[in-house]
Amino acid sequence: MASNLSFTAITDFPLTLGKFPNHPQRIHPFPLLPLNTSSEYGSFKCFASSRRRMTSPLVAHAVKEEVIDQSPNSEATLGSETTPPSSSKLVLVVGGSGGVGQLVVAALLNRNIKSRLLMRDPEKAVALFGKQDEEKMQVYKGDTRNPEDLDPSLFEGVTHVICCTGTTAFPSRRWDGDNTPERTDWEGVRNLVSALPSTLKRIVLVSSVGVTKFNELPWSIMNLFGVLKYKKMGEDFVLKSGLPFTIIRPARLTDGPYTSYDLNTLLKATAGKRRAVVIGQGDKLVGEVSRIVVAEACIQALDIEFTEGEIYEINSVEGEGPGCDPRKWKELFKNPQSQ
């Protein structure tokens, strides 16, 4: 569902949304106000720097990185001006206002990879990412829980999809409005995948470790309200869809979360020393993982051909990590731990 609407500045959340027509609602283009990423947040050094002011303090805290040139062999200087190459991709990000999704969108913007966001409340995009030119970011109003929102026009030109939707494992305020694991992790994923075009190059789905063991302790405790069961059902639907896919199963998420019930809250999390990445297969990994790492893994998987059709678990531990070096990520994905 959707019809064109224009943005106005927003100061308070949540925003009550009325009904809208039967096609995805697209936001009009905005003047470009690039993200300012020259800062000290986190541990991944992936973002191009800028001395220009950013309009969104939330994303400033969500993507603060120590800046380097994107060339793997180059030495970075804090505050140096770099312009990442443009991309022919158009990446649909579903769940872009969540903890991982915000980092995915911010990284795409800073790499000049065109993104399209499907958001229940599209006006949040301005608060989270600042005003962006339509050539960099498009925003559509819709909800994966409602099949009628997933009109074919939403997917026109889309080459890749990163799905980061999710909710809490246990009842919380995030369940308000029927935002339960069944509705979000199962029905929403099923509706999205059913609507995707056969021309899609890749869908990356963010799931969770433990989904194959939700009847076993300690996973059965996490699954008391079905979150792992429904995530596994979503995974299985992707596997049977015939679409090219990669599934990323994070361990317990750290660094944040970058979302809260009040999106105006300034969040101050850091990846600290947990920069090294551990990738496994077979649902055997346990531990923790930085949201920064998960977001980067999703983006890297888009361009690594052999990750197609694969499921990976991911942790982050103390030590030096791959940053945004594609060669290091290829090695990590190529040699996952099976035990």
Side-chain angles (χ1 to χ4, degrees), residues 46-310:
C46 310
F47 298 91
S49 64
S50 171
R51 293 189 178 93
R52 292 163 289 190
R53 184 176 179 180
M54 176 186 171
T55 58
S56 171
L58 180 60
V59 169
H61 282 270
V63 301
K64 286 182 179 179
E65 305 283 12
E66 188 177 354
V67 179
I68 66 170
D69 186 291
Q70 295 209 19
S71 169
N73 298 320
S74 63
E75 293 275 335
T77 320
L78 190 64
S80 61
E81 292 283 346
T82 61
T83 303
S86 60
S87 170
S88 60
K89 294 188 189 76
L90 172 53
V91 181
L92 174 67
V93 181
V94 187
S97 63
V100 172
Q102 288 180 33
L103 292 166
V104 168
V105 174
L108 293 172
L109 285 170
N110 280 277
R111 293 174 183 183
N112 276 352
I113 299 175
K114 190 173 182 179
S115 59
R116 181 176 293 169
L117 279 57
L118 179 68
M119 302 184 75
R120 297 173 188 173
D121 180 356
E123 295 196 9
K124 284 184 180 179
V126 167
L128 297 176
F129 308 112
K131 295 182 178 180
Q132 299 293 329
D133 188 270
E134 192 179 38
E135 287 304 309
K136 291 192 71 175
M137 185 180 78
Q138 302 165 354
V139 184
Y140 284 69
K141 180 178 181 178
D143 188 333
T144 57
R145 298 173 300 174
N146 303 324
E148 61 271 21
D149 287 10
L150 304 175
D151 187 88
S153 62
L154 169 66
F155 307 107
E156 289 179 2
V158 169
T159 58
H160 300 78
V161 174
I162 298 177
C163 180
C164 314
T165 54
T167 187
T168 55
F170 299 96
S172 69
R173 296 181 72 179
R174 287 185 61 189
W175 282 31
D176 291 354
D178 202 21
N179 193 44
T180 62
E182 181 177 10
R183 295 282 283 132
T184 302
D185 293 310
W186 162 231
E187 295 179 18
V189 171
R190 179 195 63 196
N191 294 339
L192 173 66
V193 173
S194 297
L196 292 175
S198 60
T199 55
L200 193 72
K201 293 183 178 180
R202 188 80 62 89
I203 174 173
V204 175
L205 174 68
V206 178
S207 181
S208 173
V209 298
V211 293
T212 66
K213 301 178 286 189
F214 59 79
N215 285 323
E216 306 171 16
L217 286 171
W219 307 105
S220 56
I221 298 173
M222 179 65 68
N223 192 55
L224 282 174
F225 293 89
V227 65
L228 296 178
K229 178 183 75 173
Y230 292 124
K231 284 184 180 293
K232 183 62 167 64
M233 291 170 65
E235 284 190 11
D236 290 344
F237 198 83
V238 171
L239 265 65
K240 296 174 183 177
S241 69
L243 294 169
F245 70 87
T246 304
I247 295 174
I248 303 292
R249 294 172 174 168
R252 189 177 74 85
L253 293 167
T254 64
D255 297 345
Y258 299 111
T259 55
S260 67
Y261 194 78
D262 176 11
L263 287 178
N264 293 315
T265 301
L266 223 53
L267 303 165
K268 301 177 181 179
T270 176
K273 298 178 180 180
R274 302 178 68 87
R275 297 188 293 264
V277 175
V278 179
I279 290 180
Q281 288 187 301
D283 205 6
K284 299 180 185 298
L285 284 186
V286 293
E288 299 179 339
V289 62
S290 163
R291 284 176 170 86
I292 299 169
V293 169
V294 177
E296 186 62 27
C298 291
I299 294 172
Q300 292 287 342
L302 297 178
D303 292 320
I304 302 176
E305 186 175 347
F306 62 77
T307 63
E308 181 182 325
E310 298 289 341

Side-chain angles (χ1 to χ4, degrees), residues 7-78:
F7 259 123
T8 55
I10 51 177
T11 57
D12 295 306
F13 291 100
L15 178 67
T16 302
L17 298 174
K19 294 184 178 179
F20 37 87
N22 293 328
H23 54 89
Q25 183 171 12
R26 184 172 179 176
I27 306 309
H28 290 302
F30 313 113
L32 178 63
L33 288 171
L35 299 176
N36 181 350
T37 54
S38 299
S39 56
E40 303 153 357
Y41 184 92
S43 53
F44 272 30
K45 306 177 179 181
C46 310
F47 298 91
S49 64
S50 171
R51 293 189 178 93
R52 292 163 289 190
R53 184 176 179 180
M54 176 186 171
T55 58
S56 171
L58 180 60
V59 169
H61 282 270
V63 301
K64 286 182 179 179
E65 305 283 12
E66 188 177 354
V67 179
I68 66 170
D69 186 291
Q70 295 209 19
S71 169
N73 298 320
S74 63
E75 293 275 335
T77 320
L78 190 64

